[in-house]
Amino acid sequence: MHFIDVILPIPIQKTFTYSVTEDEANFLKKGMRVAVSFGKTKMYSALVLNIHQNAPTLYEAKEIHQILDEQPLVNELQIKHWQWISKYYMCSLGDVYRASLPSAFLLESETVIYKNEADIDTSILLDDEFLIYEALHHQSQLTIHQVADILGKKKVMPTINELIKKSAITIHEEIYEQYKPKLVKYVRLHQNYTSDASLNSLLEELSRAKKQREAVLAFFQLSTSKKPIKAKDLEEKASVSSSILKSLVDKNIFEFYHIKTDRIHFEGGTNDLKNLNEFQEVALAEIKEAFKEKEVTLLHGITSSGKTEVYTKLIQEVLDEGKQVLFLLPEIALTTQIITRLEVYFGNQISVFHSKYSMNERVEVWNNVLDNKPKAQIILGARSSVFLPFSNLGLIVVDEEHETSYKQFEPSPRYNARDSAIVLANIHKAKILLGSATPSLESYYNAAQKKYGFVELNRRHGNVQLPKIELIDVKEKQRKKEMKGHFSDRMLKLIQEALDEKEQVILFQNRRGYSPVVECKTCGVSPECPNCDVTLTFHKFKHELRCHYCNYQRAMPNSCGACGSNTLDTKGFGTEQIELELKDLFPDFKIGRMDLDTTRGKHGYQKIIGAFEAREIDVLVGTQMLSKGLDFDNVSLVGILNADTMLNFPDFRAHERGYQMMVQVSGRAGRSKKQGNVAIQTYNPFHKILQQVSTTNYTEMYKEQLQERWQYKYPPYFRLIKITLKHRDYNKVDIGVNWLFKALYSSFGENVLGPTAPAVSRIRNQYIKNIVIKIPPKQNLANTKNQITKIRNTFEAVKDFRPIRFIIDVDAY
Ligand code: ADP
Ligand code: ZN
Ligand code: ZN
């Protein structure tokens, strides 16, 4: 008897054992997928972990349905990495499995399939595949069960896999944009004209259709290269329009055909790397020196010091050794800016991987990495690219390592991509470089403790000085009546000066919408979200109220819902209001806005960043999106309109983050020629963080914050595990959380904080309660987690508590 242990893509800790035949056992390898049934009706794509001969003792092993892969889809290094993630972040291997693979690889009985928008050449389909493809012309979607009915057999996953591979179908994914296959149109001669004799008569025939004749002649010239001929190239060569080609096709002289091309395709890679300046040279040498002893090195390089150029040199060396490189970036930074920069050096050795790519694009990158293809030697990716099937990593770069978006909140696994990348590098015996102008306290501390190597780069490229930063006291300005709307006279003057010089301006306001609170002047009531415990934000352009937590929206009412008076007033301001004020103040200039509302869709960021680069926008207003690694050469002023909102929220990282955000956004000013300006409006100019921002004094900020972290027992000294309970019934959560607190308290005493309700204590009708467990430096982490798991199991064994959602977040943010 032969058996396999598999991971199922579900949040259950255990692996499951199925039986296989001897032939299957001989064929199967760790990391291949098999289709198995689970429960009464469910079918999943499971991943093989072990192949053995020990029957399970507690249940009778079911047979597998079928084998889905011919080669392992996941390698052993990945499985090692998954095991670490599952243990460290206290989640199931199934959760990691589900998060790691593009969903096309996780077909299950509930999966719904659709036809792709563009038609494909059906001659590449096998009979069964064609049947399904045809069926999708008559019916917009099919479940896997329906597919089984149509084909009259149970084992249909391979057929569906093939259809996905051939770009014929896609599976449903709400969050991603519809996939459009990129098909390139080619031209060939119709089979009537393959002999020379027929060719001569053809040219004769066309003697009066001059354009068509030219197209045919051009076709022959191009054919000498023996490569397929693109319709576009032919049009260009013959200087004819596409309608000429079309008429030749109608006459059965030419025919069109399609070849699927990879969507992710770069030309070139022709440019040499830039020569490093003397400071960058030193930094590079120091990094290499540090790597001799340390696996991890932190590069603290001020904004615009040219960290990217230093990375490229390291990358080149690793590529020369024949190894793969992973370059991690926050999602938003993955705009063409950085892609283009690396592309001119490394050309088609780069593949890009992020969540705005369609399922099929992600499948493509996965396969290219798995096969270690030449075009997948450098992966440029966001958080989830740590899950790709690397076999031979030599270097990982984590750019903007302080970014909180490296931490995943929802769903599980709640991993930090930076920390997971460090472990990944370890597994590959690769080096890892963390880079930032404003490192996280954790990383800087690790460097200070000599756990990481440490290198500094303190000069901007071209010796441009860091921007001049001034603080503007809004309280004082209001007293002197020197405010116009939300702008101080000083800020307006600086904007005007920049615009007069034909320079560009970035204005930062970390709230979107028009105003975050609407309030009745008569009774003081504010409209709130019916699903969440939060006031609704007014969006003026659409004249509606919106919840930024659940997306609830409704028209802005004319009168107060509570007392009926017409005295609704708005309080506070967001990016939309700033944009409108600016349009009034500077009617001759083009004002743009970049926030979540204006950047939806795959090319959302791109359009705005592109327009700003092309100087079609003079003043760009935006949220923190603007602070992430963008490089504009004509921005001379950065304005921060309300620094206080960033500093005054109740979170132990608020000050650190405020510092990082402000220094990063300031760093967008004066990058190429002369020194830039930064103006920060605040009610509290003596706030120590603002003082530290105004002198870009990272070390002072670090020392002060570190002291507070020690005093109040926070990271990097103490580790945090946050437990969140959620349920629609307030009492249920309340009783549950009190029980849990007592249980945890009896194990960990004073180090358990809570239970508390977060600032927004109900979201989407779920009441939320938190407990935080602090883990002192010397306390054994594994034991602590085991103890928490035990308590969790007891909690979930209580029938009343079972419906409560129990969320564990290790190293919570
Ligand atoms: P950082 O990532 O440290 O903020 P960048 O790598 O974006 O800095 O560099 C800032 C700008 O200076 C970029 O436009 C970059 O092309 C340019 N630059 C940096 N180093 C060099 C160099 N050695 N030679 C030419 N240009 C450079
Ligand atoms: Zn009222
Ligand atoms: Zn809501």
Side-chain angles (χ1 to χ4, degrees):
M1 287 289 276
H2 295 266
F3 299 93
I4 54 173
D5 298 336
V6 301
I7 312 174
L8 291 173
I10 52 175
I12 291 181
Q13 279 303 340
K14 291 186 300 186
T15 55
F16 292 85
T17 306
Y18 286 82
S19 72
V20 290
T21 65
E22 183 169 355
D23 279 348
E24 286 170 334
N26 288 332
F27 178 80
L28 278 171
K29 294 197 185 85
K30 190 169 175 174
M32 287 184 183
R33 291 168 308 148
V34 290
V36 299
S37 59
F38 184 75
K40 280 205 187 80
T41 57
K42 293 250 187 192
M43 180 113 92
Y44 288 111
S45 303
L47 195 85
V48 178
L49 257 193
N50 295 305
I51 304 148
H52 57 83
Q53 301 197 334
N54 312 318
T57 48
L58 296 175
Y59 54 94
E60 187 164 352
K62 287 193 221 171
E63 288 173 14
I64 63 166
H65 268 260
Q66 73 212 96
I67 298 172
L68 297 174
D69 295 312
E70 283 172 20
Q71 309 283 344
L73 191 67
V74 169
N75 65 40
E76 304 226 5
L77 298 170
Q78 283 176 285
I79 292 175
K80 245 185 171 171
H81 192 223
W82 293 4
Q83 281 163 336
W84 179 83
I85 289 182
S86 138
K87 219 168 148 184
Y88 187 85
Y89 293 106
M90 303 177 76
C91 63
S92 74
L93 264 180
D95 281 341
V96 192
Y97 171 41
R98 184 176 276 285
S100 298
L101 270 66
S103 50
F105 289 135
L106 292 169
L107 297 176
E108 54 187 55
S109 44
E110 322 289 293
T111 304
V112 177
I113 63 168
Y114 299 80
K115 193 178 91 60
N116 259 329
E117 246 172 68
D119 287 321
I120 62 154
D121 174 8
T122 50
S123 66
I124 59 171
L125 299 181
L126 302 179
D127 289 354
D128 277 356
E129 295 163 19
F130 184 74
L131 266 178
I132 300 307
Y133 188 67
E134 267 303 293
L136 284 170
H137 280 79
H138 306 295
Q139 200 170 338
S140 66
Q141 59 179 70
L142 290 171
T143 63
I144 303 258
H145 280 305
Q146 287 170 313
V147 172
D149 284 345
I150 293 172
L151 298 181
K153 61 181 188 187
K154 267 195 179 161
K155 304 186 171 182
V156 299
M157 294 231 193
T159 309
I160 294 170
N161 271 329
E162 269 312 301
L163 284 164
I164 290 174
K165 245 198 232 159
K166 292 174 180 169
S167 291
I169 63 166
T170 185
I171 67 175
H172 187 52
E173 285 183 299
E174 258 181 309
I175 40 173
Y176 305 113
E177 300 199 344
Q178 273 290 311
Y179 156 66
K180 295 195 188 60
K182 190 164 166 219
L183 294 174
V184 175
K185 194 152 80 173
Y186 289 83
V187 185
R188 65 186 165 212
L189 273 184
H190 193 272
Q191 59 197 23
N192 296 349
Y193 292 98
T194 35
S195 75
D196 285 351
S198 50
L199 281 176
N200 284 329
S201 62
L202 165 62
L203 288 172
E204 212 116 289
E205 217 176 283
L206 291 175
S207 60
R208 256 172 294 148
K210 195 163 156 272
K211 285 272 171 198
Q212 294 184 11
R213 200 182 137 94
E214 267 163 30
V216 173
L217 284 172
F219 178 86
F220 286 118
Q221 283 169 3
L222 286 174
S223 358
T224 53
S225 78
K226 303 235 182 308
K227 279 195 214 142
I229 297 170
K230 288 183 190 161
K232 236 168 98 214
D233 292 348
L234 180 54
E235 287 163 20
E236 221 163 81
K237 177 100 188 160
S239 333
V240 297
S241 67
S242 56
S243 61
I244 300 288
L245 296 193
K246 179 80 174 28
S247 54
L248 284 163
V249 170
D250 291 343
K251 284 187 180 169
N252 279 340
I253 294 172
F254 281 165
E255 59 188 18
F256 288 141
Y257 65 108
H258 293 94
I259 299 178
K260 197 186 82 179
T261 61
D262 275 336
R263 284 158 289 270
I264 305 142
H265 174 78
F266 299 125
E267 301 281 347
T270 44
N271 287 35
D272 290 338
L273 300 189
K274 291 201 168 94
N275 288 325
L276 295 186
N277 65 41
E278 53 181 310
F279 306 99
Q280 293 165 341
E281 283 289 359
V282 173
L284 178 66
E286 288 176 353
I287 292 169
K288 287 201 262 182
E289 197 54 39
F291 275 155
K292 286 187 184 152
E293 283 175 28
K294 304 270 164 50
E295 309 310 312
V296 189
T297 292
L298 174 64
L299 171 61
H300 180 203
I302 60 171
T303 55
S304 205
S305 55
K307 293 185 285 297
T308 319
E309 308 301 334
V310 177
Y311 301 151
T312 56
K313 293 280 181 189
L314 276 177
I315 290 172
Q316 186 62 59
E317 289 182 13
V318 173
L319 291 180
D320 290 345
E321 290 166 22
K323 294 191 171 163
Q324 299 166 311
V325 176
L326 169 61
F327 193 124
L328 279 176
L329 283 156
E331 183 93 7
I332 169 80
L334 275 174
T335 60
T336 41
Q337 276 207 337
I338 186 83
I339 299 174
T340 317
R341 272 177 79 178
L342 294 181
E343 185 197 316
V344 294
Y345 301 142
F346 302 114
N348 44 22
Q349 290 171 287
I350 298 179
S351 291
V352 181
F353 190 77
H354 69 103
S355 73
K356 284 204 172 179
Y357 277 3
S358 68
M359 180 189 81
N360 297 62
E361 285 168 321
R362 280 177 286 145
V363 166
E364 208 170 276
V365 177
W366 182 284
N367 287 330
N368 289 341
V369 175
L370 184 67
D371 299 338
N372 201 0
K373 288 263 175 70
K375 62 162 51 160
Q377 294 307 301
I378 307 174
I379 298 299
L380 213 54
R383 190 165 69 202
S384 60
S385 50
V386 296
F387 292 125
L388 286 167
F390 298 103
S391 48
N392 189 21
L393 269 177
L395 173 71
I396 303 180
V397 175
V398 185
D399 196 19
E400 315 287 354
E401 70 82 29
H402 64 280
E403 268 292 327
T404 51
S405 59
Y406 280 129
K407 181 73 160 71
Q408 166 139 325
F409 290 108
E410 192 70 359
S412 170
R414 299 180 174 79
Y415 65 103
N416 183 317
R418 175 197 62 209
D419 301 341
S420 305
I422 291 174
V423 174
L424 183 65
N426 248 308
I427 291 174
H428 284 261
K429 307 215 175 341
K431 300 293 176 186
I432 174 163
L433 182 65
L434 313 180
S436 175
T438 54
S440 63
L441 248 55
E442 284 86 348
S443 295
Y444 204 85
Y445 178 76
N446 280 329
Q449 297 294 301
K450 306 265 185 274
K451 216 172 127 188
Y452 299 170
F454 180 65
V455 175
E456 277 185 303
L457 191 48
N458 286 323
R459 292 290 180 101
R460 280 192 149 188
H461 176 65
N463 270 326
V464 180
Q465 291 197 347
L466 275 176
K468 227 185 296 159
I469 302 182
E470 64 182 85
L471 300 170
I472 300 171
D473 185 343
V474 178
K475 223 190 299 170
E476 169 105 352
K477 291 285 177 191
Q478 280 173 338
R479 194 173 53 76
K480 293 189 183 159
K481 306 230 177 327
E482 288 170 347
M483 294 292 289
K484 225 184 224 174
H486 294 95
F487 293 90
S488 57
D489 57 348
R490 176 69 187 152
M491 183 73 86
L492 289 175
K493 180 159 178 277
L494 288 167
I495 296 174
Q496 189 66 57
E497 280 172 8
L499 294 176
D500 288 345
E501 295 285 315
K502 303 216 170 351
E503 293 158 350
Q504 291 166 294
V505 176
I506 284 178
L507 292 177
F508 178 76
Q509 168 57 17
N510 209 16
R511 263 199 167 130
R512 65 197 166 95
Y514 185 84
S515 63
V517 182
V518 173
E519 194 183 80
C520 171
K521 276 191 189 160
T522 309
C523 72
V525 168
S526 295
E528 289 190 359
C529 176
N531 312 318
C532 311
D533 179 23
V534 70
T535 59
L536 293 168
T537 298
F538 178 42
H539 287 247
K540 189 164 184 160
F541 179 68
K542 294 231 159 129
H543 203 70
E544 61 187 17
L545 292 172
R546 253 188 246 166
C547 173
H548 285 181
Y549 288 83
C550 73
N551 257 336
Y552 166 87
Q553 44 206 38
R554 67 173 161 106
M556 170 78 171
N558 291 321
S559 53
C560 170
C563 73
S565 325
N566 299 329
T567 49
L568 290 180
D569 192 16
T570 59
K571 283 177 115 178
F573 63 102
T575 45
E576 198 191 7
Q577 189 166 161
I578 295 303
E579 181 193 10
L580 290 173
E581 285 184 16
L582 281 168
K583 282 182 171 162
D584 267 355
L585 289 162
F586 301 96
D588 299 333
F589 293 90
K590 187 101 174 46
I591 316 295
R593 169 157 63 94
M594 178 157 140
D595 57 27
L596 258 187
D597 298 315
T598 61
T599 53
R600 293 191 203 283
K602 181 169 177 177
H603 302 295
Y605 311 130
Q606 213 62 78
K607 277 192 204 139
I608 297 174
I609 290 169
F612 195 57
E613 275 178 330
R615 308 194 186 176
E616 287 158 17
I617 294 174
D618 300 301
V619 184
L620 185 59
V621 184
T623 55
Q624 51 165 357
M625 280 182 182
L626 285 173
S627 65
K628 302 186 182 180
L630 297 169
D631 183 31
F632 302 110
D633 62 3
N634 189 41
V635 173
S636 66
L637 172 68
V638 166
I640 296 175
L641 293 163
N642 182 354
D644 309 306
T645 48
M646 272 178 284
L647 299 171
N648 297 340
F649 59 91
D651 179 309
F652 72 92
R653 284 195 177 89
H655 286 179
E656 177 192 355
R657 256 196 259 166
Y659 178 90
Q660 287 161 340
M661 232 184 264
M662 284 187 261
V663 169
Q664 289 287 348
V665 70
S666 302
R668 303 312 112 201
R671 286 173 77 86
S672 73
K673 295 170 298 241
K674 56 176 202 187
Q675 189 182 24
N677 285 307
V678 175
I680 302 178
Q681 294 190 162
T682 171
Y683 283 89
N684 193 1
F686 298 104
H687 194 292
K688 62 184 183 202
I689 288 290
L690 292 177
Q691 291 294 327
Q692 288 153 1
V693 169
S694 71
T695 49
T696 320
N697 196 339
Y698 179 87
T699 35
E700 190 185 305
M701 184 283 292
Y702 168 76
K703 281 186 191 144
E704 236 171 66
Q705 292 302 313
L706 205 62
Q707 204 162 13
E708 287 187 14
R709 301 286 179 89
W710 174 250
Q711 193 174 351
Y712 299 106
K713 304 187 174 173
Y714 279 111
Y717 301 105
F718 282 58
R719 286 171 189 272
L720 301 184
I721 295 180
K722 183 158 114 186
I723 298 177
T724 301
L725 301 187
K726 287 188 185 176
H727 195 267
R728 296 179 75 88
D729 178 350
Y730 178 84
N731 285 324
K732 223 181 193 46
V733 193
D734 198 48
I735 295 167
V737 86
N738 285 321
W739 183 98
L740 186 63
F741 178 80
K742 275 191 203 127
L744 289 166
Y745 190 88
S746 69
S747 290
F748 306 111
E750 304 276 278
N751 286 324
V752 187
L753 308 186
T756 53
V760 178
S761 64
R762 183 182 53 122
I763 296 177
R764 292 173 205 272
N765 284 317
Q766 303 271 322
Y767 290 93
I768 306 168
K769 292 277 187 174
N770 290 328
I771 292 176
V772 171
I773 301 150
K774 289 182 168 175
I775 306 171
K778 296 240 163 72
Q779 188 170 312
N780 183 301
L781 203 56
N783 292 347
T784 308
K785 286 175 182 170
N786 284 342
Q787 184 61 17
I788 294 173
T789 302
K790 259 191 219 152
I791 294 173
R792 173 183 191 163
N793 290 340
T794 319
F795 179 90
E796 289 182 336
V798 178
K799 194 158 145 275
D800 261 5
F801 295 161
R802 219 167 289 153
I804 301 177
R805 242 192 108 198
F806 191 114
I807 296 167
I808 286 197
D809 191 350
V810 177
D811 295 341
Y813 264 76

